[in-house]
Amino acid sequence: MAGLKLNHIYKVYENGTKAVSDFNMEIKDKEFIVFVGPSGCGKSTTLRMIAGLEEITAGDLFIDDKLVNDLEPKDRKVTMVFQNYALYPHMTVYENMAFALKIRKIPKAEIDERVKEVASILGLTEYLNRKPKALSGGQCQRVALGRAIVRKPKVFLMDEPLSNLDAKLRVTMREEIIRIHEKVGATTIYVTHDQTEAMTMASRIVIMKTGIVQQIGTPKEVYSYPANTFVAQFIGSPSMNLFNGSYDNGKFTFDGTNSITIDIPKEHQEKLKDYIGKQLIVGIRPEDISLDPAMLKKYSHDTISIDSQVVELLGHDLVIYSDVDGQKIIVKTLADYDIKAHQDVKVAICMNKIHYFDPDTTNRIEL
Ligand code: ADP
């Protein structure tokens, strides 16, 4: 098992693309780290540099305190699981899992023991004699994971391993990978563009944008204390509402209106004193806007009237899409509220859940 250290890692491709800039992180043994961000933000490049499949332009990469920049992939004790699991079609599940060990000339008895042990962890025992074409997509993905696990790598690297599976299977495999990680306990780095996957699987999340790390933290930290507006909107679904407006006299006035204001709690005003008479961005998650009469009473100076332009019923939840004089607002509430489209709805902003951001830097203003 192993920890990793990425010190000021950069990647500039030959065509000049700056794919990764100044990536710094220490990963502890047994952590489950998820790199997340929109397509092209440098997640795979970082993973491939760790795997040794891509040269590191600058910076130092340590695995278990050993500098590995110039080590061949096979000598790094890392194993990569790709989205295209590409099993050998002419081999059985057993042979697919045993293949890499055979090449390494590991004794037959040990191969047999390892393959059977991993097959049992993955629930593949009864399929060991089958060929891939007689397996479902999820089973194939499990074999691909098994192939990686039998090699007993110090670090697992997974690049969007579930993206070829249908939505339901993805959820099942997500749980399975978490369980496998708990059993096998190897340090894992997992790449995805899906924030739900990141939030549900990670012990810590790394959020990237244009090759630059935006924030590193536990799912709870990045959800509750997003470092900037990008993270605020990337993590959580539906996205956090961000409102531009001006701040004065303890009140926030929404841009585009002169009259729609909310009262800023006294305890926040101290932290916002540099913004008096200036622009400010206020953020509130859709789930922190309430239709509950008790909340409308509690936050009576922080209510807004909206027109429910579009209403989506998602079983347990209800999502209302509207705007506050041109600024989009999304409200997520319980389906118990019988709201139809094109209705006037009064909502309360739960001010204990509010976020503030600097309009120039887009950074979070700490409370
Ligand atoms: P992600 O995994 O987050 O989608 P990538 O790491 O694949 O992002 O890509 C990061 C950036 O590097 C993108 O702008 C991409 O176009 C570029 N890139 C990726 N691979 C290469 C390559 N082999 N040569 C040049 N540019 C590349």
Side-chain angles (χ1 to χ4, degrees), residues 139-190:
Q139 288 163 341
C140 285
Q141 189 57 327
R142 252 183 272 161
V143 177
L145 284 172
R147 233 175 16 181
I149 297 170
V150 290
R151 294 168 62 180
K152 294 192 176 165
K154 288 188 171 184
V155 183
F156 275 106
L157 304 174
M158 304 195 189
D159 195 352
E160 306 248 7
L162 308 183
S163 61
N164 284 346
L165 305 178
D166 65 51
K168 201 162 165 218
L169 197 50
R170 266 207 312 268
V171 175
T172 315
M173 285 303 294
R174 212 155 74 188
E175 291 165 12
E176 212 153 300
I177 291 175
I178 297 169
R179 262 191 289 119
I180 293 165
H181 175 254
E182 278 168 8
K183 274 194 197 152
V184 178
T187 312
T188 304
I189 307 177
Y190 185 105

Side-chain angles (χ1 to χ4, degrees), residues 11-20 35-48 54 159-160 191-193 208 210-211:
K11 176 69 188 183
V12 183
Y13 282 106
E14 274 174 16
N15 65 1
T17 304
K18 287 185 182 160
V20 178
F35 294 169
V36 71
S39 178
C41 72
K43 309 178 291 287
S44 296
T45 300
T46 309
L47 199 73
R48 292 169 62 81
E54 207 66 73
D159 195 352
E160 306 248 7
V191 161
T192 179
H193 61 274
M208 299 179 72
T210 58

Side-chain angles (χ1 to χ4, degrees), residues 70-87:
D70 299 322
L71 276 193
E72 289 290 314
K74 65 177 174 39
D75 300 325
R76 294 190 182 195
K77 304 226 166 59
V78 302
T79 295
M80 189 127 166
V81 182
F82 297 93
Q83 54 179 265
N84 295 320
Y85 32 78
L87 301 176

Side-chain angles (χ1 to χ4, degrees), residues 55-70:
E55 206 178 309
I56 296 171
T57 308
D60 293 329
L61 172 67
F62 296 90
I63 298 180
D64 255 357
D65 294 325
K66 184 175 173 187
L67 185 67
V68 299
N69 284 45
D70 299 322

Side-chain angles (χ1 to χ4, degrees), residues 270-286:
E270 173 63 20
K271 304 284 180 179
L272 296 174
K273 59 182 190 307
D274 292 347
Y275 295 86
I276 294 171
K278 292 187 186 157
Q279 286 293 111
L280 185 65
I281 297 174
V282 155
I284 186 82
R285 294 202 178 275

